[in-house]
Amino acid sequence: MAAPACYTINLVNPNRIWQTDNVLKKELPILAFQVGFVVLISRLFFFIYRPLHLPRILSQLSVGFLLTPPLIGNYTEVFTFFFPITGVLNVEVLSHIGIIYYAFLSGLEMNLNVVLHVKKKAGSIAIAGIVFPMVMGPLLYNLHRRTYNKGDGVELEENAVHANVVWTLVLTVTGFPVIAHSLSELKLLYTGLGEAALTASMVSDTYAWVLFTLFVPISINGTRAIYSVLSTIIFIFICIFIVRPIIVKVIDGMTERDEWDDSNLLYVVMGLLVCSNITDMLGTQAVVGAFVYGLILPHGKFADKVVSISDDFGRGFLAPLFFSGTGMRLMVIALFYQDNMFLTFIVIILLCSIKVLGTIFAAFFFGMRTRDSFALGLILNTKGAIALIMLNIAWDRTILSVPTYVVLSSSVLLMTIVVSPIINVIYKPRKRFEQNKLKTIQKLRNDAELRILACVHNTRQATGIISLIELFNATRLSPLHVFGLHLVELTRSAAALVAAHMEKPSGQPGAQNLTQSQVEQEGINSTFESFGESYDAITVQTLNVVSAFETIHQDIYNSANEKHTSLIIIPFHKQLSSEGALETASVVYRDINMNVLQSAPCSVGIFVDRDIGSISKLNFCIRMIFVGGPDDREAIAVAWRMAGHPGINLSVVRMLLFDDAAAVDTSIQVESQGILAAVMDNEKQKELDDEYMNSFRLTAVNSDDSITYSEIDVHSAEDIPKILNEIDSYGCDLYIVGQGNCRNSQVFSDMLEWCDCSELGVIGDILGSNNSGSRSSVLVVQQYGYGGMVLGKQSNNVTTNDDGSKTLVVKSE
């Protein structure tokens, strides 16, 4: 059994508030040093673990584990330097305040609407992941008692019933915040697996708090705890049905009037301490009151303000003290100094597997694949703060002996450590995006469904892109399936933002005080839904992606793959101002676009919106400028599809290159395949251009009066801007051009170096420039399968097929 630690405290000033020595001179410097040490070393471990996508909580536990035997804990002088005995008590107090605040933020982030309206599949999987460990947990505990050391249970706990309760509860819980962060890091958050895991983990986490409230008091006080449980349930009902309506009304009113300041937020913290103190006095732990208090506060703008102000302090400084203290208690070395070490390790492995097995059985019932079921079981087996809180309570109350604590905590750590690396290997290997006919519009049959992923940041962009999609001539024989993807920047806790965007904002309490991203989400949902209701042949689905903008392109890739789209439409980073000029909305949007173009799993279109307007206008004019290459062939395929829409006039202008303009750019392939290969590839591309253009003229131009075709000779680089200005003088509503990849033209390669927006290509950059004087919108198209946009050195592997086309193999991490 663990021996209780006693502290000798000398009372110097018994009649004053601070009864010990001068706190500011003796206690505070030690405390500040300890906090700084824990935070600094945990950050160091975080960067070490980052390539493995391990959760932050493990880096904080590692700090404590570093201070245990046989590491720094073996050196008493070094250990007491970092954690002197006189400072341990202060750290314990501060760490418990930190975990109280952590529980409060967890409740504030919880989306009850998702839990209360959970679908049958997610709810059943979550319940199976709880019930199966509850059944198997006691059996494994008995196995542990019979196999540890000599198997007589002498070194283990005397009260096996209380220990059994804690043992089983720890095995059932799931850490929603940790899972949300891990899925975000692995870029699986918006796949089918990620969505199922996220919902099931939120439901499971809610059940875990319920089980914590009901059974932890019983594990401490036995049957006498029934009064604590009943009084706590009454307190929770009072909070939800009496206190919550009053608080929501007051807070929403203050939020509408923007009256929140630091002094007012202080009252929120005071309410947290009051609720924590009440449940602590009732005998069900202070964290329960903190979680309930966070749960009853209104979400939206208020919650966003509270979390943004206090998240760094609560989770960044206070919570690491608690988790590092948990790591100090992890005496793993004790496992190696007993007779049945091998059998103990088998018990640990069995503890890690029972929740996975329960999830697999439930997932099989709903028809999930074996790999997905196993991955889902691993993800839901991830433990978080609530499991560690239970373990700490069991340690403090000596419910668990040191060997049992070490076995159980080791299994919890193992469950959490192995998830991200294994998922990264078995579920998300380095995929190869191989050529697929359905991933380009050129190869898509006219009677096939066209699936489009429309990425937007705000409602204004959604309106413009919907006007563009409206041109695609959806019919019952050739329907459209549009996925509106709202891109939200991850600026704080992944769990908080993900939970806030898991459901429509209008369904949440305090909906009149939505955050800016929720306001945009509501507007985007409304815009896309209205669009879908206007057409029988168009199916619309809105999605949300919450991710760091530096890596959000990977979420876009995964969404496009998951939805089997043929075209991704992304908005240009500039938007039309009131003066009629294009102004930069956000430089970060351009970085996203550049990243998407590099390795997109289907064709991509960048839309420069100059108020394209509605298709309802008569004689809507589209002009397609064709130079050559796969992107231009994809662009004409897009224009050809739009030309079938009544009221649209399509004009195709082909630039024929002669003299200096016809010079072949051999620099791209001179290193790998040689100049001859570059020239031959250029000739093959010309043959493909002629073949496709002849098919277009024969099929479309000759049979439809609304489609015209013309050719213009280009002899030098100076001719291109002049020709474009001349074309623009005739006016049109929309230009469709290719991005220009694989044109193999020396003239265009040289001009590309001078472009302000190289992602638009040469033609698109000129038409999209304010200097051109054009008032027409522009759609720049890049065809999938030709290496994407080249930024610096191109590491993608391009192979030439028998038909002259190229297949790109892109490694996606």
Side-chain angles (χ1 to χ4, degrees), residues 459 462-463 466-467 470 482 484 504 521-542:
T459 308
T463 304
I466 282 174
S467 298
E470 201 174 3
V482 180
K504 295 180 182 179
Q521 179 186 343
E522 193 175 47
I524 290 168
N525 287 344
S526 176
T527 303
F528 274 100
E529 287 172 2
S530 299
F531 173 58
E533 292 170 357
S534 302
Y535 296 91
D536 294 335
I538 297 178
T539 304
V540 173
Q541 183 179 348
T542 53

Side-chain angles (χ1 to χ4, degrees), residues 480-499:
L480 276 179
H481 196 144
V482 180
F483 302 93
L485 193 66
H486 179 204
L487 308 180
V488 183
E489 184 177 13
L490 180 63
T491 55
R492 49 186 173 90
S493 165
L497 279 174
V498 168

